[in-house]
């Protein structure tokens, strides 16, 4: 197995191109199954997770052409011949459950692999199941797959999500756009990737209204058309490079990111001492403006501070003078990565309490979902090896290794490449000293 070798301890300067967002690209691939016409996705990221999704699409007869030169994907779903999706050799991800809606609309049946993805909590799918049943589908589970069936067209319905889940909102959208009648989704997710998915579905002919109070109203239509859609820049990728610039006291221009999608991140970043400059509408320069100060952060659904930003931000807080707190309210087990940082000299502590301003769903459970981070702790690595526990923690480790004096080895890099692609090539225009060995 390959690993990364990083020689750190110097300010990182340079430029990096932000990827198309993983968490929209894979959903856009599923949306393309709702029509028999071809769809073209541009700014399409070359990352492990889209290849896993692509293999699932190909297993049912979808024709895919990856145009890597133009970062485009051409999807032709005309010849889909089966509703039984095979598990790719490289494993599953979170996408199969989303394919059920599209396949039910086409075949009245779907069989998809069980889910995998990062181990950051229980990641239940009860809201998806509830939605499938409300739309008139029956669902069962075998040892290897979910099996769903419906008689005739899916039926529009009213559904209230117990929590504004991204995946469950997507399932509801995929079920409703071609269902009979009107669907109202209450308490839906409104993340930028969801808003892009709605835009894409509208471009295919879907009739979808959104309201200010997390309500989505969908009037089902019998057919949808193919489309062309650009994948928006990945706000998690961009935030990570922003942290690298500030934590290392360097200067990095991140290209291909819409500033509005970074939203509150930009405020927390500046609050703790980071500097930003908009060089072009989609290019932001990140650097350290002031000595770093601590922060109290609570992760939340959009427009709150994204749970996917907390891992890189935790690295930044190790370099801030004072005591910082991060309260993770979206996933119950998302701090497993912190312990390894102590090997590099970080001083962190986990607690089951809800630290911060509010009590969350995990109050009175035994989950270590709040972190205390003391700074400034200079990071030092004497040839330490750290193992990547999950995707976002993986890039956080790369940042930690980049600011740590000495050499760090990072194992389990397939977890990183699933979401960030080929880092060696991507980082070639920055002073980061990273090798794959
Ligand atoms: N939840 C349930 N029941 C459900 C669905 C969700 O209890 O049926 C809970 C989850 O256990 C979690 C919370 O609701 O505690 C939020 O889950 P959500 O459904 O919003 O997450 P997801 O759709 O599984 C996506 C991203 C995650 C990102 C979250 C939150 C993809 C493939 N994944 O996950 O991204 O953290 O939304 O924004 O889109 C990542 O990219 O590394 C990643 C984990």
């Amino acid at each position: 197995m390959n690993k990364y070798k990083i020689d750190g301890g110097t300010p990182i300067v340079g430029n990096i191109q932000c990827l198309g967002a993983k968490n929209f690209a894979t959903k856009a691939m599923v949306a393309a199954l709702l029509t028999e016409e071809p769809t073209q996705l541009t700014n399409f990221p070359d990352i492990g997770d889209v290849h896993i999704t692509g293999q699932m699409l190909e297993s049912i007869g979808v024709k895919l052409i990856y145009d890597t030169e133009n970062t485009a994907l051409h999807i032709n779903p005309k010849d889909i011949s089966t509703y039984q999706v095979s598990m790719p050799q490289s494993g599953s991800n979170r996408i199969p459950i989303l394919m059920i809606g599209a396949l039910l609309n086409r075949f009245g049946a779907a069989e998809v692999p069980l889910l995998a993805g990062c181990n950051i909590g229980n990641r239940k799918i009860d809201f998806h199941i509830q939605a499938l049943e409300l739309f008139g589908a029956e669902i069962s589970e075998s040892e290897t797959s979910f099996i769903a069936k419906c008689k005739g067209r899916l039926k529009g319905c009213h559904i209230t999500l117990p929590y504004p889940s991204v995946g469950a909102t997507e399932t509801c959208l995929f079920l409703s756009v071609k269902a009979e009648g009107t669907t109202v989704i209450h308490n839906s997710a409104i993340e930028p990737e969801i808003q892009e998915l709605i835009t894409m579905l509208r471009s295919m002919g879907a009739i979808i209204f959104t309201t200010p109070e997390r309500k989505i109203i969908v009037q089902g239509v019998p057919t949808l058309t193919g489309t062309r859609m650009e994948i928006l820049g990945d706000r998690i990728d961009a935030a990570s490079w922003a942290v690298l610039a500030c934590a290392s006291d360097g200067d990095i221009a991140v290209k291909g990111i819409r500033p509005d999608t970074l939203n509150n991140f930009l405020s927390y970043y500046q609050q703790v001492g980071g500097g930003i400059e908009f060089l072009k509408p989609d290019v932001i320069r990140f650097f350290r403006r002031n000595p770093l100060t601590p922060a109290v952060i609570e992760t939340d659904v959009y427009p709150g501070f994204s749970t996917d930003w907390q891992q890189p931000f935790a690295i930044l807080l190790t370099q801030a003078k004072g005591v910082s707190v991060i309260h993770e309210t979206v996933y119950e087990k998302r701090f497993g990565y912190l312990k390894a940082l102590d090997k590099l000299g970080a001083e962190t502590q986990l607690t089951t309490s809800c630290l911060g301003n509010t009590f969350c769903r995990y109050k009175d459970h035994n989950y270590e979902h709040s972190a205390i981070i003391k700074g400034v702790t200079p990071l030092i690595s004497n040839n330490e090896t750290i193992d990547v526990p999950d995707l976002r923690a993986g890039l956080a480790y790369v940042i930690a290794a980049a600011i740590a004096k000495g050499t760090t080895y990072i194992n389990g890099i397939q977890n990183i490449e699933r979401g960030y692609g080929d880092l060696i090539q991507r980082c070639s225009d920055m002073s980061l000293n990273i090798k794959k060995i």
Side-chain angles (χ1 to χ4, degrees):
M1 277 291 180
N2 287 327
K3 52 178 138 182
Y4 290 144
K5 173 177 183 251
I6 297 175
D7 292 311
T10 54
I12 307 300
V13 294
N15 304 291
I16 189 158
Q17 178 68 41
C18 190
L19 290 170
K22 163 180 100 66
N23 290 344
F24 175 54
T26 46
K27 323 299 173 64
M29 292 170 85
V30 177
L33 305 182
L34 288 160
T35 169
E36 297 198 6
E37 297 180 10
T39 285
Q40 185 182 332
L41 303 176
T42 53
N43 194 32
F44 194 75
D46 186 8
I47 55 176
D49 218 34
V50 303
H51 293 294
I52 293 177
T53 308
Q55 284 160 29
M56 289 192 274
L57 262 53
E58 285 172 329
S59 79
I60 53 174
V62 179
K63 301 269 183 315
L64 298 179
I65 302 172
Y66 293 93
D67 174 356
T68 40
E69 202 172 314
N70 298 306
T71 58
L73 176 70
H74 303 267
I75 305 175
N76 189 340
K78 186 164 175 288
D79 297 326
I80 297 182
S81 53
T82 171
Y83 60 81
Q84 290 174 308
V85 180
S86 305
M87 163 92 103
Q89 267 184 349
S90 44
S92 184
N93 57 12
R94 306 300 300 170
I95 304 304
I97 192 88
L98 305 179
M99 294 175 75
I100 293 180
L103 291 170
L104 280 179
N105 271 309
R106 187 144 172 173
F107 292 104
E111 182 166 350
V112 301
L114 299 182
L115 309 190
C118 294
N119 181 12
I120 50 183
N122 292 325
R123 305 195 84 173
K124 288 194 282 187
I125 52 157
D126 47 340
F127 310 159
H128 298 253
I129 306 288
Q130 183 200 357
L132 282 157
E133 289 173 349
L134 279 173
F135 278 87
E138 277 174 26
I139 179 145
S140 58
E141 191 177 328
S142 77
E143 257 176 40
T144 53
S145 56
F146 295 111
I147 301 146
K149 290 197 172 81
C150 66
K151 287 200 186 84
R153 231 171 127 189
L154 292 161
K155 307 277 180 294
C157 60
H158 276 246
I159 178 160
T160 302
L161 297 176
Y163 183 82
S165 148
V166 169
T169 302
E170 290 158 347
T171 279
C172 291
L173 284 168
F174 292 136
L175 289 165
S176 60
V177 280
K178 290 173 85 177
E180 199 178 315
T182 299
T183 296
V184 184
I185 312 162
H186 300 269
N187 201 26
S188 68
I190 53 167
E191 268 63 7
E193 295 78 16
I194 295 275
Q195 294 171 35
E196 287 299 283
L197 180 61
I198 290 175
T199 300
M200 177 174 173
L201 292 168
R202 283 178 178 143
S203 78
M204 298 170 73
I207 300 176
I208 304 173
F209 302 94
T210 53
T211 75
E213 62 281 356
R214 293 188 174 275
K215 190 158 79 175
I216 302 176
I217 302 157
V218 185
Q219 282 175 14
V221 294
T223 51
L224 293 174
T225 65
T227 189
R228 277 180 296 278
M229 186 76 192
E230 180 171 313
I231 307 296
L232 84 167
D234 193 313
R235 61 197 170 104
I236 320 297
D237 193 42
S240 304
W241 306 119
V243 163
L244 176 61
C246 188
S248 71
D249 203 1
D251 195 322
I252 298 175
V254 180
K255 303 176 188 169
I257 182 67
R258 253 174 40 199
D260 61 302
T261 62
L262 286 170
N263 186 280
N264 284 319
F265 173 85
L266 296 179
S267 300
Y268 281 101
Y269 189 77
Q270 297 192 95
Q271 191 186 46
V272 301
I276 59 174
E277 184 186 359
F278 290 180
L279 299 178
K280 289 189 187 166
D282 68 340
V283 183
I284 311 178
R285 174 183 162 229
F286 293 98
F287 55 98
R288 187 184 298 185
R289 194 186 291 280
N290 294 311
L292 298 181
T293 52
V296 177
I297 293 180
E298 210 149 46
T299 67
D300 211 336
V301 296
Y302 194 83
F305 190 92
S306 165
T307 169
D308 301 310
W309 288 330
Q310 62 99 335
Q311 304 78 356
F313 218 85
I315 312 296
L316 187 57
L317 295 177
T318 65
Q319 304 307 300
K321 188 163 188 238
V323 177
S324 295
V325 166
I326 304 180
H327 179 199
E328 168 61 59
T329 75
V330 180
Y331 291 108
E332 62 274 39
K333 293 185 199 157
R334 216 170 184 184
F335 278 125
Y337 71 95
L338 272 186
K339 246 189 193 85
L341 292 177
D342 292 355
K343 277 206 224 174
L344 304 186
E347 283 184 42
T348 65
Q349 199 183 326
L350 294 180
T351 161
T352 55
S353 306
C354 294
L355 297 184
N357 296 323
T358 49
F359 290 117
C360 75
R361 295 176 295 153
Y362 305 124
K363 177 180 183 286
D364 296 333
H365 290 76
N366 248 346
Y367 299 119
E368 291 186 319
H369 70 292
S370 291
I372 301 162
I373 300 167
K374 285 194 207 146
V376 178
T377 48
L379 302 187
I380 297 168
S381 177
N382 198 1
N383 292 313
E384 294 289 352
T385 296
I386 42 184
D387 295 315
V388 170
D390 65 75
L391 167 62
R392 304 302 174 191
L395 196 58
Y397 283 178
V398 170
I399 297 168
I403 62 173
K405 282 208 167 67
T407 300
T408 311
Y409 296 91
I410 300 181
N411 270 336
I413 62 174
Q414 68 283 0
N415 275 319
I416 301 178
E417 294 183 350
R418 196 165 66 73
Y420 298 100
D422 179 356
L423 275 197
I424 308 303
Q425 186 264 324
R426 292 193 61 214
C427 293
S428 59
D429 210 8
M430 291 195 298
S431 61
L432 178 64
N433 197 340
I434 179 170
K435 289 193 181 66
K436 197 191 262 194
I437 56 172

